[in-house]
Amino acid sequence: MSAILKDCKGHVHFIPSGGGGGVGFYKLEPKINAAGGGACLILGIPLAYQEIVQPTVTLDDKRTLYVFGSAWSETMINGVLLLGGNRTQGRTLGALLDWYEKNRVSKRPEPVSLSVGSKTIDAYVVGLRLDAANPAINTQNFSIIALTSPES
């Protein structure tokens, strides 16, 4: 990976808050630590809640809606890695992969905390997707896949 990014143009990134903390609206706990002059920014945490229901219509046109509770919902925590200078040798990417290995549901049975504005919910980390690095601006997009539940 570092060989691909070695010839990137240098960029200066000013991040007022620590890695993983975003700029204040989106937060993820535990945070993804910045490494080697890079940073990890959370760009969005889209949430969607869903109920488990069974709608039924009878022959005399009576409608009944059975409600069984709330379903698991999947969310994708979208972010971007600022990969730092060409001397960092992919340490920012390594920090993200280390965070995922420590916090995925098979290693950490308790949830992580997601904050969207003033709302905080629990989520279980079940996957990670990395896009190809962009050598023109020295960034790499990622998505953390998590399951949420309103009762968690």
Side-chain angles (χ1 to χ4, degrees), residues 17-118:
S17 60
V23 294
F25 191 76
Y26 298 111
K27 292 183 180 63
L28 175 64
E29 285 294 331
K31 291 183 179 182
I32 303 168
N33 294 322
C40 177
L41 304 178
I42 304 299
L43 300 179
I45 304 176
L47 298 173
Y49 298 118
Q50 186 173 349
E51 296 281 297
I52 302 171
V53 297
Q54 174 61 53
T56 304
V57 180
T58 62
L59 293 175
D60 59 353
D61 203 27
K62 287 185 181 173
R63 296 166 193 269
T64 305
L65 183 64
Y66 297 99
V67 179
F68 301 103
S70 52
W72 288 97
S73 300
E74 185 176 277
T75 186
M76 302 275 279
I77 303 162
N78 301 310
V80 64
L81 294 173
L82 305 179
L83 298 175
N86 61 3
R87 293 181 219 149
T88 63
Q89 300 294 317
R91 282 182 274 186
T92 305
L93 178 58
L96 174 64
L97 293 174
D98 288 344
W99 182 91
Y100 172 71
E101 283 300 320
K102 290 177 187 167
N103 293 289
R104 62 188 176 126
V105 73
S106 61
K107 299 281 178 83
R108 176 190 165 120
E110 62 270 5
V112 299
S113 294
L114 307 178
S115 296
V116 180
S118 61

Side-chain angles (χ1 to χ4, degrees), residues 12 20 41 58 69 79 120 125 129 152:
V12 176
L41 304 178
T58 62
T120 301
V125 176
R129 192 190 90 222
S152 59

